[in-house]
Amino acid sequence: QTNLPAGLADAPLTLIAHGPRCAVASVAPPSPTGKLRPERRHLTAHQRVATAIARTTDLLPVAFGTVSATDAGVIELLETNREQLVTQLARIAGRSEWTLRLALDVPEVFKFFVEADPELRAARDRMLAAGGGHDAMMAVGRLFEHKLAERRDAARNVVIAALTEVIAEDRENPLRSEKELCNFSLLADRARAAELDAAIERTAALFDDQHTLSVSGPWPPSSFVDVRLEL
């Protein structure tokens, strides 16, 4: 590839070939301990290079801080782990990762549910009429959590059903806030990126203005590979 970003500490990238595969590497900056410190500038450079490569070709992202003293050590690493590398490369061949998040775009989630759900609104009103109380508040809270879980389940099903024809795999990620309804990593063919974009637009249209659907990518397929190198 051309026009790739520089590696750590702006060092140029090199390709260390082993048969039909190769490792992309750069010289690591000096360290008194011999270990690569996870500084922000190093992590950013690592991610920047991996993302640039994964946009156009197959890449197995290796954990930051994988260091070898020599090129021969890298070749030995590729040979020792050849079987798992071949297997995982075959799995992600021609594919990259996208991230999709769907969230409620409302000021207060509980108020939104109270206004939209008669059962929850009635439970809230009964609690207020009775003067509150710990048990009544807990009951309303449990009902709210149940309603939120139901809405999240429904949203996940709608999203995956709408995208199933254009994605190869999906992984559900932990939700980051109460407003978030679903958070997916999607593995899709790079050659079908335009189809994926169109399907995501159709998916967004299934939800009203009180929802926000955001997408990012393509990224290295980190959620769909687990490279555990035997050093």
Side-chain angles (χ1 to χ4, degrees):
Q1 295 189 43
T2 59
N3 299 322
L4 284 177
L8 301 182
D10 292 326
L13 299 179
T14 60
L15 301 183
I16 303 173
H18 178 63
R21 291 164 293 278
C22 69
V24 181
S26 68
V27 176
S31 169
T33 64
K35 296 183 179 180
L36 192 59
R37 291 176 56 83
E39 298 176 12
R40 179 179 299 231
R41 60 194 176 102
H42 295 331
L43 293 169
T44 299
H46 178 84
Q47 181 64 28
R48 185 170 59 239
V49 169
T51 299
I53 295 172
R55 290 184 186 277
T56 58
T57 193
D58 299 334
L59 174 75
L60 290 181
V62 177
F64 173 84
T66 304
V67 179
S68 172
T70 64
D71 287 6
V74 176
I75 293 174
E76 182 180 356
L77 192 69
L78 295 176
E79 175 58 30
T80 302
N81 297 274
R82 182 176 61 84
E83 184 175 345
Q84 69 151 320
L85 295 177
V86 169
T87 298
Q88 296 203 49
L89 275 170
R91 180 184 179 189
I92 57 97
R95 295 167 174 167
S96 292
E97 178 174 329
W98 282 258
T99 300
L100 180 149
R101 296 184 177 93
L102 178 70
L104 288 168
D105 188 13
V106 296
E108 299 178 29
V109 177
F110 179 75
K111 182 179 179 181
F112 168 78
F113 272 81
V114 166
E115 293 174 350
D117 190 281
E119 183 183 5
L120 181 60
R121 184 165 60 252
R124 189 278 313 267
D125 291 345
R126 288 194 300 271
M127 177 194 69
L128 294 177
H134 179 267
D135 290 344
M137 292 177 64
M138 291 296 292
V140 171
R142 287 193 296 269
L143 181 58
F144 165 65
E145 292 294 336
H146 174 70
K147 297 292 184 180
L148 179 58
E150 283 187 334
R151 194 175 191 95
R152 284 172 169 167
D153 286 341
R156 287 192 291 264
N157 291 337
V158 168
V159 168
I160 293 303
L163 299 178
T164 188
E165 296 298 325
V166 293
I167 60 175
E169 296 183 44
D170 64 85
R171 289 285 182 275
E172 192 169 351
N173 302 317
L175 301 179
R176 304 185 302 175
S177 71
E178 189 176 60
K179 292 183 180 183
E180 203 161 63
L181 299 179
C182 58
N183 182 331
F184 284 106
S185 292
L186 309 172
L187 186 67
D189 293 347
R190 290 188 296 275
R192 302 184 67 186
E195 294 179 59
L196 177 63
D197 288 344
I200 289 172
E201 287 189 16
R202 292 193 297 271
T203 304
L206 299 174
F207 298 91
D208 61 25
D209 292 341
Q210 292 176 309
H211 297 78
T212 299
L213 190 149
S214 59
V215 181
S216 62
W219 305 112
S222 302
S223 301
F224 301 93
V225 297
D226 184 16
V227 181
R228 298 180 181 272
L229 299 177
E230 296 182 15
L231 302 176

